[in-house]
């Protein structure tokens, strides 16, 4: 009987618990409340990714390293300049079952993909046969 009551209590607590929300780096205001949300999100994500029933990497040293790396990545993301591109990555990484929505993954994707996309745009602009060149030239004139 005690086990049944305990299980009902745990199930109802989980059902009504507030999910730990992702804090958008460019909407971070530095308040104590948001700092706690960021740290809770990072901690929860690390525990889910490293401390499952079949994971051998649930060690306090690994968790501490992951926490520090994700928090550093979050702080770097607060200073990025291309919000539209970051929003695109957040949508892609955080609403997909294929990617892990960690600040570290978002920072790596932002740095690598943005550079790649800008590099391809530069190459396309120089190609006289590229359709992108015509479209881009018209878009640049409109700005």
């Amino acid at each position: 009987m005690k086990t049944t009551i305990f299980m009902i209590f745990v199930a109802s607590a989980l059902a009504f618990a507030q999910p730990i929300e992702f804090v958008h780096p460019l909407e971070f205001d530095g308040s104590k409340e948001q700092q706690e949300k960021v740290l809770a999100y990072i901690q929860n994500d690390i525990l889910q990714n490293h401390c499952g029933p079949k994971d051998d990497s649930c060690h306090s040293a690994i968790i501490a390293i992951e926490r520090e790396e994700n928090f550093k990545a979050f702080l770097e993301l607060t200073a990025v300049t291309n919000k539209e591109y970051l929003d695109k990555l957040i949508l892609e990484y955080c609403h997909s079952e294929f990617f892990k929505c960690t600040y570290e993954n978002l920072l790596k994707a932002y740095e690598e993909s943005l550079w790649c996309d800008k590099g391809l745009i530069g190459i396309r602009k120089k190609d006289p046969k590229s359709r992108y060149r015509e479209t881009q030239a018209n878009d640049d004139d409109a700005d």
Side-chain angles (χ1 to χ4, degrees), residues 16-60:
F16 294 108
Q18 291 291 324
I20 298 174
E21 296 180 18
F22 177 84
V23 176
H24 194 296
L26 297 179
E27 296 171 2
F28 181 68
D29 62 10
S31 68
K32 186 75 172 169
E33 181 183 338
Q34 278 198 335
Q35 288 177 13
E36 290 173 3
K37 280 184 180 180
V38 169
L39 292 174
Y41 178 82
I42 291 171
Q43 182 72 18
N44 185 49
D45 184 66
I46 291 168
L47 292 175
Q48 283 183 353
N49 290 326
H50 293 290
C51 296
K54 297 181 181 180
D55 290 328
D56 295 332
S57 60
C58 188
H59 190 274
S60 60

Side-chain angles (χ1 to χ4, degrees), residues 8 13 28 46 48 58 60 66 79 81 87 94 103 111 119 123 140:
I8 292 171
F28 181 68
I46 291 168
Q48 283 183 353
C58 188
S60 60
E66 286 281 328
T81 56
D87 288 342
C94 298
Y103 294 114
E111 292 173 340
I123 291 169
D140 287 345

